[in-house]
């Protein structure tokens, strides 16, 4: 039984981490676009990014199923070209978690990009740094607290994701049954209470650890640049 | 080194057409103008941070911008060091890493040693500090050092002292003079503080509403009576150059010869043989038709009226010649009439205050001295 608990926690962390790591570059790109540029359709992009936050998760999950399912346009393309499958796999759970956590990732990154003094980038340019070097040595380090805050928030959200996951990849023990889904299943069975308590303790521990870690890191980053 | 800067550009912020000639020995070209006159935009265009609509910018042999030929060298390759009004130090880096930024990340040569620059600007004790722990004056000194260490062909300074209080300004000014004297990097110094310009600039460009309305050697531009509104009436004045001829130790006064006439100043820090540049505000000059007696003002100089600007208000302005130099006096129009002053009149100029802006042959810490007016 311990093995199963460990398995569930391991799967949940794996799904959540994968979701955050793969969503991060996309989220940064979108945050960059929203923070730095004005273009036609900016409002639409903004709405699209916020959508998973306001849509019922079941609806998001169903849309994912339609698009990324084995018969969906993207899903069948991936399956036939790369032999890669989302449907009813842990990777699908990660995709669902990534989509649901995406708005939480974009917002803090966008805010931190918006608060960076563009004058510092100009200064770096006059000192001879190329655009890429300016990004690597000035913009990125200064955006790091925002990126970190977004990543932790998204990780916590991905860890607890339920509705979109169960709709998209179902509730398959050992494959897609993450912590929340396991708690849900165990509550349906008459003798699952003890295991539920263990899983809840694990969930609380993970959440608290994530928040502490984020506080500690952002505190360190802040002390680098201000009193 | 030929680093003549030729600028002839048009931009959104107005039309500039200016040609500032200087070689490395000539030091600082001042750009003066009130806020909104386009000073910062002009500097940013030279640095490549703002793109002009048309025109050409050349630095020595290099074309930095030429709209016609489609040349727009990116800011990172212009080799123009920029000292911003607010310092713009990288907050996440130590002072040391700020200083060596150009050498580490900007592909700039290491022609100037870090130690030389930190010595010049007094930064040795600050290297391991973070920018947020620095005072305003220290921050600007680091910013100047950082720009210098990028090995620039030209330094652009955008009101580097305007964010500082008076005491901090006095702390940083001597360092600017050291940079001028010891680095041989030509500097364009933008400011709306007439005192800074008078003290630092060898040549001067006056901007008004996006256009250059005067340029030339600082002393000449300051002597122009027609620039009253642009230079500011209250602070308006003339600059004169003189030489210290004698020091009266007993009373602490120095005698300075200006255009063949003797001026008396507080001797503080002056030595016989020093060349001094003084700024005398028009409102600190009174005029008498005969030499007054029984008066505490010690400087009573015979002068000739060269120009009269009557304006429309209560005041008028006189341009006086003293030998080969010019003085300006701001007196009421009623006095003009009562003293019967006209072009060519011989008058006595009474100087209530004289600021020594620069002691060219002294060590470079320019102190401001006052004439003993009511002794």
């Amino acid at each position: 039984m311990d093995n199963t608990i460990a398995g569930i926690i391991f799967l949940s962390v794996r799904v959540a981490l994968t979701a955050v790591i793969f969503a991060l570059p996309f989220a940064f790109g979108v945050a960059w676009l929203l923070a730095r540029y004005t273009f036609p359709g900016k409002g639409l992009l903004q709405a699209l990014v916020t959508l998973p936050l306001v849509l019922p998760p079941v609806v998001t999950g169903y849309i994912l199923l339609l698009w990324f399912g084995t018969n969906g346009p993207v899903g069948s393309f991936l399956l036939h070209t790369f032999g890669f499958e989302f449907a009813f796999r842990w990777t699908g759970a990660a995709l669902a978690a990534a989509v649901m956590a995406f708005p939480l990732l974009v917002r803090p990154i966008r805010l931190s990009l918006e608060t960076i003094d563009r004058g510092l980038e100009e200064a770096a340019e006059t000192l001879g740094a190329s655009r890429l070097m300016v990004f690597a040595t000035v913009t990125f380090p200064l955006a790091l607290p925002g990126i970190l805050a977004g990543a932790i928030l998204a990780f916590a959200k991905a860890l607890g994701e339920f509705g979109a996951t169960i709709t998209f990849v179902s509730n398959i023990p050992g494959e897609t049954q993450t912590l929340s889904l396991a708690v849900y299943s165990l509550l349906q069975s008459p003798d699952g209470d003890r295991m539920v308590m263990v899983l809840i303790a694990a969930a609380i521990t993970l959440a608290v650890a994530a928040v502490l870690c984020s506080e500690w890191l952002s505190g360190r980053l802040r002390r680098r640049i201000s009193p | 080194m030929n680093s003549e800067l030729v600028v002839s550009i048009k931009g959104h912020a107005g039309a500039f057409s200016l040609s500032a000639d200087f070689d490395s020995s000539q030091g600082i070209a001042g750009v003066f103008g009130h806020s909104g006159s386009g000073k910062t935009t002009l500097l940013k265009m030279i640095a490549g941070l703002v793109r002009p609509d048309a025109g050409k910018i050349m630095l020595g042999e290099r074309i930095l911008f030429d709209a016609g030929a489609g040349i727009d060298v990116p800011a990172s390759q212009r080799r123009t060091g920029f000292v911003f009004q607010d310092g713009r130090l990288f907050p996440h880096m130590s002072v040391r890493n700020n200083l060596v930024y150009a050498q580490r990340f900007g592909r700039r040569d290491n022609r100037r040693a870090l130690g030389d620059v930190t010595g010049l600007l007094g930064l040795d004790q600050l290297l391991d500090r973070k920018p947020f722990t620095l005072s305003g004056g220290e921050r600007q000194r680091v910013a100047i050092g950082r720009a210098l260490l990028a090995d620039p062909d030209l330094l652009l300074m955008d009101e580097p002292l305007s964010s500082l209080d008076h005491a901090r300004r006095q702390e940083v000014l001597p360092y600017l003079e050291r940079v001028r004297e010891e680095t041989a990097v030509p500097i364009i110094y933008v400011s709306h503080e007439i005192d800074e310009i008078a003290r630092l600039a060898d040549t001067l460009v006056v901007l008004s509403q996006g256009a250059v309305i005067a340029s030339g050697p600082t002393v000449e531009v300051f002597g122009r009576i027609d620039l009253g509104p642009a230079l500011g009436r209250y602070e308006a004045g003339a600059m004169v150059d003189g030489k210290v001829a004698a020091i009266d130790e007993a009373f602490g006064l120095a005698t300075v010869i200006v255009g063949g006439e003797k001026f008396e100043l507080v001797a503080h820090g002056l030595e016989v043989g020093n060349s001094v540049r003084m700024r005398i505000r028009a409102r600190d000059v009174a005029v008498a038709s005969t030499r007054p007696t029984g008066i505490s003002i010690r400087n009573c100089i015979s002068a000739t009226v060269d120009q009269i600007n009557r304006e429309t208000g209560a005041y008028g302005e006189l341009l006086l010649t003293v030998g080969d130099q010019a003085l300006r006096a701001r007196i009421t129009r009623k006095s003009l009439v009562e003293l019967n002053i006209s072009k060519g009149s011989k008058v006595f100029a009474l100087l209530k205050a004289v600021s020594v802006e620069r002691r060219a042959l002294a060590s470079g810490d320019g102190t401001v001295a006052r004439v003993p007016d009511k002794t």
Side-chain angles (χ1 to χ4, degrees):
Chain A
M1 193 164 91
D2 270 2
N3 203 13
T4 335
I5 290 176
I8 289 166
I9 293 169
F10 175 74
L11 177 70
S12 302
V13 173
R14 184 185 188 187
V15 164
L17 272 182
T18 309
V20 172
I21 288 167
F22 279 87
L24 203 52
F26 293 101
F28 190 87
V30 170
W32 182 269
L33 278 178
L34 292 176
R36 290 288 168 99
Y37 298 97
T38 42
F39 49 90
K42 183 175 174 175
L44 200 68
L45 178 65
Q46 216 165 319
L48 207 66
V49 167
T50 327
L51 215 52
L53 210 58
V54 291
L55 224 50
V58 178
V59 174
T60 307
Y62 187 64
I63 293 170
L64 284 175
L65 190 59
L66 287 180
W67 280 68
F68 292 89
T70 320
N71 298 319
V74 185
S76 65
F77 169 78
L78 288 175
L79 185 61
H80 294 121
T81 334
F82 304 106
F84 183 85
E85 209 177 353
F86 278 119
F88 308 111
R89 296 287 161 82
W90 75 271
T91 49
L95 176 65
V99 168
M100 292 304 289
F102 201 72
L104 300 177
L105 210 44
V106 171
R107 180 166 281 271
I109 297 176
R110 177 184 176 180
L111 284 177
S112 73
L113 284 174
E114 279 170 348
T115 51
I116 290 176
D117 178 3
R118 301 290 299 273
L120 293 173
E121 297 174 356
E122 286 185 346
E125 258 185 88
T126 65
L127 294 168
S130 62
R131 289 280 161 88
L132 199 68
M133 197 54 97
V134 172
F135 178 80
T137 59
V138 177
T139 320
F140 185 75
L142 290 175
L144 206 52
I147 295 172
L148 205 76
I152 302 274
L153 206 60
F155 176 76
K157 167 75 184 168
L159 208 57
E161 216 300 303
F162 181 83
T165 311
I166 202 165
T167 315
F168 180 30
V169 290
S170 183
N171 187 355
I172 306 162
E175 186 65 41
T176 66
Q177 193 180 64
T178 58
L179 213 141
S180 311
L181 302 192
V183 169
Y184 171 74
S185 297
L186 286 166
L187 286 174
Q188 313 287 310
S189 66
D191 52 352
D193 286 4
R194 209 179 68 81
M195 208 162 143
V196 164
M197 292 319 285
V198 176
L199 284 175
I200 285 173
I204 291 171
T205 310
L206 277 171
V208 171
V211 170
L212 284 180
C213 175
S214 131
E215 289 293 318
W216 179 75
L217 269 170
S218 64
R220 265 189 66 124
L221 289 173
R222 226 179 308 114
R223 271 194 302 281
R224 281 195 321 174
I225 61 171
S226 59
Chain B
M1 187 172 69
N2 171 20
S3 33
E4 182 190 29
L5 176 75
V6 180
V7 178
S8 173
I9 44 180
K10 277 185 165 42
H12 290 309
F16 304 105
S17 180
L18 81 100
S19 169
D21 298 329
F22 47 81
D23 57 47
S24 46
S25 63
Q26 231 178 327
I28 298 182
V31 176
F32 178 83
H34 297 295
S35 42
S37 59
K39 304 183 300 281
T40 300
T41 310
L42 174 64
L43 275 200
K44 286 193 163 187
M45 284 177 174
I46 296 170
L49 296 173
V50 170
R51 195 191 162 99
D53 294 336
K56 201 170 173 180
I57 303 172
M58 298 226 4
L59 180 59
E61 305 295 305
R62 293 195 292 134
I63 300 172
L64 298 184
F65 179 80
D66 187 343
I71 297 171
D72 184 15
V73 176
S76 56
Q77 280 150 48
R78 292 201 177 189
R79 306 192 80 89
T80 50
F82 208 119
V83 179
F84 296 90
Q85 201 171 336
D86 46 356
R88 297 194 183 176
L89 300 184
F90 304 125
H92 56 303
M93 296 181 190
S94 66
V95 167
R96 183 194 308 277
N97 286 340
N98 265 283
L99 288 171
V100 300
Y101 184 91
Q103 287 164 7
R104 276 171 69 183
F105 304 119
R107 291 164 297 167
R108 290 287 165 88
D109 317 331
N110 211 340
R111 271 206 311 201
R112 254 185 210 93
L114 177 64
D116 291 348
V117 171
T118 57
L120 180 73
L121 293 163
L123 303 174
D124 291 306
Q125 308 302 316
L126 308 176
L127 288 176
D128 296 318
R129 303 255 298 267
K130 278 292 176 64
F132 70 84
T133 68
L134 301 177
S135 72
E138 289 169 338
R139 215 170 292 156
Q140 287 310 75
R141 273 151 58 199
V142 174
I144 294 164
R146 183 178 69 174
L148 267 178
L149 280 161
D151 197 22
D153 292 339
L154 176 69
L155 267 180
L156 303 168
M157 298 195 179
D158 184 15
E159 309 203 32
L161 305 183
S162 70
S163 61
L164 308 179
D165 60 31
H166 183 75
R168 296 270 167 264
R169 268 174 214 214
Q170 297 311 313
E171 168 203 321
V172 179
L173 268 167
Y175 288 105
L176 285 170
E177 288 172 329
R178 289 181 72 175
V179 169
R180 176 187 65 201
E181 275 150 36
E182 292 177 33
T183 63
V185 180
I187 297 171
I188 296 189
Y189 188 97
V190 156
S191 180
H192 66 269
E193 292 288 338
I194 209 110
D195 288 337
E196 285 170 27
I197 292 281
R199 180 161 164 182
L200 295 170
D202 302 283
T203 56
L204 178 58
V205 170
V206 181
L207 282 186
S208 179
Q209 291 165 347
V212 174
I213 57 166
S215 67
T218 308
V219 177
E220 274 174 32
V221 175
F222 268 81
R224 278 180 54 184
I225 209 164
D226 59 308
L227 296 176
L231 291 175
R233 277 192 184 80
Y234 186 76
E235 285 295 321
M239 296 223 296
V240 294
D241 289 325
K243 217 174 187 87
V244 179
I247 302 279
D248 179 347
E249 299 281 358
F251 287 102
L253 296 178
T255 304
V256 177
I257 304 295
V258 177
E261 294 286 329
K262 285 179 184 168
F263 282 49
E264 265 182 5
L265 316 179
V266 175
H268 175 74
L270 295 176
E271 286 166 31
V272 173
N274 282 167
S275 291
V276 291
R277 173 179 289 180
M278 291 158 288
R279 193 160 77 80
I280 302 162
R281 288 186 297 196
R283 67 188 171 97
D284 289 333
V285 178
V287 170
S289 55
T290 55
R291 183 180 286 272
T293 53
I295 187 168
S296 71
I297 291 178
R298 298 208 49 85
N299 285 313
C300 180
I301 315 289
S302 66
T304 310
V305 176
D306 188 44
Q307 266 183 60
I308 303 171
N309 184 354
R310 292 182 193 279
E311 301 185 23
T312 48
Y315 285 94
E317 212 178 295
L318 298 177
L319 187 67
L320 310 169
T321 50
V322 177
D324 57 346
Q325 309 240 10
L327 272 183
R328 292 166 70 174
R330 183 167 169 77
I331 58 176
T332 57
R333 284 198 297 137
K334 193 165 183 186
S335 297
L336 271 174
V337 173
E338 285 184 2
L339 293 175
N340 193 20
I341 289 173
S342 58
K343 187 172 159 60
S345 298
K346 299 285 183 196
V347 294
F348 293 91
L350 304 167
L351 313 185
K352 286 179 277 186
V354 178
S355 320
V356 173
E357 298 293 352
R358 186 194 294 178
R359 291 178 291 141
L361 299 180
S363 62
D365 71 312
T367 50
V368 173
R370 294 269 162 200
V371 272
D373 50 351
K374 291 170 182 83
T375 33

